[in-house]
């Protein structure tokens, strides 16, 4: 059977998979390190070209490049899509301090879970499918180089939508959960930066002429936090505040960074107007405020197609003794939103399982690398029943 051949291929290449995982984790590719991200993309390009893939790079000046690859593009059936990203949240130099290591069945290192393990899993699902003679439909792959920054300096979100159109199903190999949750919905994410300019003054000799940027931003911060509407599903968080230099001077500069999470894309104009109104109001005369929009993700909507694909994943789990997955909607954004926008049934969090991503304690369960590669390939075999 084809599935048995696929599983055997993965079992026989466990050492090779671990070696690639280690190699990718030990390659610096923080979102701000364009050169590092591009080198990782080039390495994956070489791997896929060796498998017969046609590979294109969308190049960006201020963001990591995006990889687009396809195998069997002339096949009659609609393609299956694997997607993800190769950038991490970690600064250059992290690898030297915390390289890839394995302890007690868990792998550690920057990006080991989010999401270089997921990249290795789908690469070997593709390799195994080819080795077993799979030729029913094209296999397409999209890898962003700037996901962690919300594609702030690229058009990768639009590329995802355009390239995904017409696919039969999409598997986003983002961070997997240890309890086998499969993500079928995600909130959207929007970021704003609010900066206040005031007037500096010596608080002992000239206090009446100072105009405190910190006091102004404090008023605005509290107003932003009041906007949260749990019933609507829109939440506001001021997660960063900066300002001032010394305690004996009126601060002439202050800044906050705002994170907004939302369920419905139609909420965007409303909360944007709300934040703009707060920025426009002056609490401390003589201060001025600037508002800048930052990184954003559209919501991943739980469509009927998404639900059908989840059922296929659940059946595949049961058939192969992988456990009992369940549907989960989460607050974190991801590029799975854009494949759903393209009309493609999509499931997310199909990468290696683990926890503590974006932290020094980020880890992935080693055995899940092989299980998820098998799961992804087995799901592709079942797509005709979708």
């Amino acid at each position: 059977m084809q599935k048995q051949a696929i599983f055997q291929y993965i079992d026989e290449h466990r050492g090779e998979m671990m070696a690639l995982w280690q190699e990718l984790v030990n390659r610096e590719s923080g979102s701000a390190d364009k050169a590092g991200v591009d080198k990782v993309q080039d390495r994956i390009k070489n791997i896929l070209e060796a498998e017969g893939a046609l590979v294109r790079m969308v190049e960006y000046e201020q963001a990591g490049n995006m990889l687009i690859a396809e195998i069997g593009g002339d096949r009659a059936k609609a393609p299956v899509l694997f997607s993800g990203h190769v950038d991490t949240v970690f600064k250059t130099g992290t690898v030297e301090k915390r390289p890839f290591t394995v302890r007690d069945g868990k792998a550690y290192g920057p990006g080991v879970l989010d999401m270089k393990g997921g990249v290795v899993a789908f690469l070997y699902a593709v390799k195994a499918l080819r080795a077993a003679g799979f030729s029913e439909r094209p296999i397409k792959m999209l890898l962003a180089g700037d996901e962690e920054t919300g594609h702030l300096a690229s058009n990768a979100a639009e590329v995802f939508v355009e390239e995904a159109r017409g696919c039969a199903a999409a598997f986003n190999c983002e961070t997997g959960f240890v309890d086998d949750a499969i993500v079928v919905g995600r909130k959207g994410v929007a970021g704003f930066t609010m900066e206040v300019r005031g007037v500096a003054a010596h608080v002992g000799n000239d206090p009446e002429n100072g105009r405190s940027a910190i006091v102004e931003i404090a008023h605005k911060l509290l107003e932003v936090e009041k906007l949260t509407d749990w019933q609507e599903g829109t939440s506001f968080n001021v997660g960063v505040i900066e300002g001032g230099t010394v305690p004996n001077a009126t601060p002439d500069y202050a800044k906050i960074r705002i994170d907004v999470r939302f369920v419905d894309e139609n909420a965007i104009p409303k909360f944007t107007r709300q934040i703009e109104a707060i920025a426009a109001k002056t609490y401390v005369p003589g201060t001025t405020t600037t508002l800048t929009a930052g990184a954003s993700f559209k919501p991943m909507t739980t469509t009927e197609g998404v639900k059908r694909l989840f059922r296929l994943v659940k059946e595949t789990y049961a058939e192969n003794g992988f456990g009992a997955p369940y549907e989960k909607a989460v607050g974190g954004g991801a590029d799975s939103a854009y494949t759903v926008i393209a009309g493609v049934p999509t499931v997310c969090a199909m990468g290696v399982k683990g926890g503590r991503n974006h932290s020094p304690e980020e880890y992935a369960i080693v055995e899940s690398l092989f299980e998820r590669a098998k799961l992804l390939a087995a799901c592709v075999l079942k797509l005709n029943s979708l």
Side-chain angles (χ1 to χ4, degrees):
M1 286 178 59
Q2 205 171 33
K3 186 172 73 173
Q4 291 174 338
I6 288 169
F7 286 10
Q8 182 177 345
Y9 180 93
I10 292 168
D11 288 337
E12 291 175 351
H13 290 79
R14 288 168 66 101
E16 194 175 287
M17 293 172 72
M18 289 298 295
L20 180 60
W21 198 7
Q22 177 174 352
E23 177 189 344
L24 295 184
V25 170
N26 285 345
R27 287 177 180 250
E28 298 276 14
S29 62
S31 299
D33 184 358
K34 174 174 167 55
V37 171
D38 292 350
K39 286 178 181 178
V40 172
Q41 294 285 46
D42 288 339
R43 175 69 172 108
I44 295 169
K45 177 177 182 286
N46 291 337
I47 292 170
L48 290 171
E49 286 181 338
E51 294 296 319
L54 294 176
V55 184
R56 295 178 281 136
M57 287 288 186
V58 182
E59 298 187 357
Y60 299 109
E61 288 187 8
Q62 297 180 328
N65 294 338
M66 184 172 183
L67 180 146
I68 303 168
E70 190 168 36
I71 295 173
D74 58 348
R75 296 169 187 169
K77 292 184 179 178
V80 60
L81 173 64
F82 295 118
S83 63
H85 64 92
V86 300
D87 62 314
T88 76
V89 298
F90 299 99
K91 294 180 180 179
T92 300
T94 306
V95 166
E96 185 177 354
K97 298 175 184 175
R98 296 190 294 104
F100 181 90
T101 57
V102 176
R103 299 190 304 273
D104 301 322
K106 295 178 180 178
Y108 298 85
V112 68
L113 175 66
D114 187 10
M115 57 159 282
K116 291 181 176 179
V119 172
V120 175
F122 87 62
L123 287 175
Y124 274 82
V126 171
K127 282 174 169 279
L129 284 161
R130 286 195 70 249
F134 176 82
S135 60
E136 287 189 27
R137 65 179 71 244
I139 301 173
K140 196 164 188 177
M141 291 145 281
L142 300 176
L143 278 174
D146 63 339
E147 189 269 356
E148 296 291 4
T149 59
H151 311 305
L152 189 59
S154 80
N155 71 334
E158 290 84 356
V159 175
F160 266 104
V161 175
E162 183 62 31
E163 293 292 334
R165 284 198 178 100
C167 288
F171 299 92
N172 190 303
C173 297
E174 273 281 6
T175 300
F177 293 86
V178 294
D179 63 354
D180 289 305
I182 302 296
V183 171
V184 298
R186 289 182 178 272
K187 283 190 174 184
V189 184
F192 297 87
T193 298
M194 199 178 289
E195 297 175 279
V196 174
R197 303 281 176 180
V199 179
H202 191 289
V203 298
N205 299 333
D206 192 27
E208 64 275 11
N209 289 320
R211 300 292 182 266
S212 175
I214 285 181
V215 173
E216 177 71 12
I217 207 75
H219 282 287
K220 295 178 187 294
L221 183 160
L222 294 173
E223 291 303 309
V224 169
E225 290 282 352
K226 290 177 184 177
L227 296 176
T228 291
D229 185 334
W230 297 116
Q231 185 172 359
E232 183 183 73
T234 305
S235 61
F236 297 75
N237 180 66
V238 178
V240 176
I241 183 168
E242 301 174 10
T245 53
V246 292
N248 61 346
T250 304
D252 63 354
Y253 176 79
K255 176 175 77 172
I256 57 173
R257 293 177 62 186
I258 306 161
D259 179 288
V260 186
R261 304 283 162 145
F262 54 99
V263 175
D264 186 350
E265 186 177 347
N266 294 321
I268 296 174
K270 176 184 175 182
F271 68 67
T272 300
R273 287 194 301 270
Q274 289 174 316
I275 293 176
E276 288 173 343
I278 292 171
K281 186 175 180 180
T282 301
Y283 297 86
V284 178
T287 61
T288 58
T289 300
T290 303
L291 181 68
T292 306
S296 65
F297 279 102
K298 296 288 183 66
M300 177 190 176
T301 306
T302 308
T303 64
E304 287 303 315
V306 168
K307 293 177 182 178
R308 289 196 305 273
L309 185 58
F310 170 76
R311 289 195 292 269
L312 182 145
V313 172
K314 188 174 183 179
E315 291 169 5
T316 307
Y317 253 86
E319 290 169 3
N320 296 285
F322 292 151
Y326 69 96
E327 301 170 80
K328 187 172 186 175
V330 297
D335 289 325
S336 47
Y338 301 116
T339 54
V340 174
I341 288 170
V344 180
T346 303
V347 286
C348 196
M350 292 289 286
V352 293
K353 298 186 286 187
R356 301 288 295 154
N357 54 320
H358 291 198
S359 80
E361 295 79 36
E362 179 174 325
Y363 75 90
I365 298 169
V366 169
E367 197 60 34
S368 71
L369 177 69
F370 316 115
E371 179 188 286
R372 283 295 166 95
K374 292 177 180 178
L375 172 66
L376 290 164
C379 285
V380 172
L381 296 181
K382 282 179 66 69
L383 281 181
N384 288 343
S385 64
L386 186 64

